[in-house]
Amino acid sequence: MIDQHLRTLLLKNKQKFMIPASLVATVNQSNSLAHAFLVLTKDRYAKIIVIDNQNHYCGQVSLAMITDQLLETKRINVERLNELTVRDVMQTDTPVIHDPTDIEENLHLLIDQSFLPVVDNQNYFCGIVTRREVLKAVNYTVHTFGK
């Protein structure tokens, strides 16, 4: 349980916690791995959100997941980039959250994740909470607490 005074300080800029879905790079689960590879590489992301045609959250895909599919015993098979879809390699067991301001849950989950997808009750993708934004709140709190 987080002390109420600390919680208040942590949530001072809670409106900045969630980056809205419209500003988050995503790929569709039916996209080719070539497309996902280009998005990840061009935008310099390690991992991005996967959605379906109705903007429901499906999972995440990373460069490591893609390159793992290209490795063969003696070579890298780049043809597989066009043979496989994002659905074939995406990770579906990542944690999601419903409340971007649940600071206690977010702190716990962000230990092992760089971002947390925010979904509504119908699994519609709403945005992400990043470790960076939560750490900004922690930084503000520890520097303001005694004042």
Side-chain angles (χ1 to χ4, degrees):
M1 188 71 136
I2 298 176
D3 174 81
Q4 187 56 44
H5 183 64
L6 287 173
R7 183 183 305 278
T8 301
L9 287 172
L10 285 165
L11 293 174
K12 184 170 175 88
N13 291 313
K14 66 183 176 185
Q15 72 279 3
K16 293 183 179 181
F17 279 12
M18 186 176 82
I19 298 169
S22 61
L23 300 177
V24 177
T26 63
V27 292
N28 191 288
Q29 63 181 349
S30 61
N31 288 141
S32 70
L33 282 191
H35 175 76
F37 183 83
L38 287 173
V39 172
L40 283 160
T41 304
K42 269 301 215 194
D43 292 335
R44 297 185 177 165
Y45 294 127
K47 190 182 274 191
I48 54 174
I49 299 291
V50 179
I51 57 171
D52 66 12
N53 291 334
Q54 290 76 42
N55 208 40
H56 293 107
Y57 175 79
C58 298
Q60 298 174 24
V61 67
S62 69
L63 279 175
M65 291 173 204
I66 294 172
T67 54
D68 188 52
Q69 295 297 314
L70 306 180
L71 298 177
E72 294 182 351
T73 306
K74 295 186 179 188
R75 72 182 192 111
I76 297 173
N77 184 354
V78 293
E79 291 84 27
R80 291 187 52 95
L81 285 173
N82 291 313
E83 296 169 359
L84 297 170
T85 64
V86 171
R87 180 186 295 109
D88 297 323
V89 302
M90 69 183 185
Q91 181 181 10
T92 58
D93 61 350
T94 57
V96 297
I97 59 172
H98 296 284
D99 180 2
T101 61
D102 184 342
I103 194 69
E104 195 155 350
E105 179 184 28
N106 295 352
L107 284 169
H108 174 71
L109 292 172
L110 285 169
I111 291 170
D112 295 320
Q113 309 293 321
S114 56
F115 63 87
L116 299 169
V118 181
V119 297
D120 68 10
N121 291 334
Q122 287 76 44
N123 210 39
Y124 183 82
F125 176 60
C126 302
I128 61 173
V129 170
T130 64
R131 186 186 292 156
R132 181 177 193 262
E133 290 304 318
V134 172
L135 278 174
K136 284 181 185 179
V138 170
N139 184 51
Y140 171 80
T141 301
V142 298
H143 286 93
T144 309
F145 184 68
K147 296 177 183 175

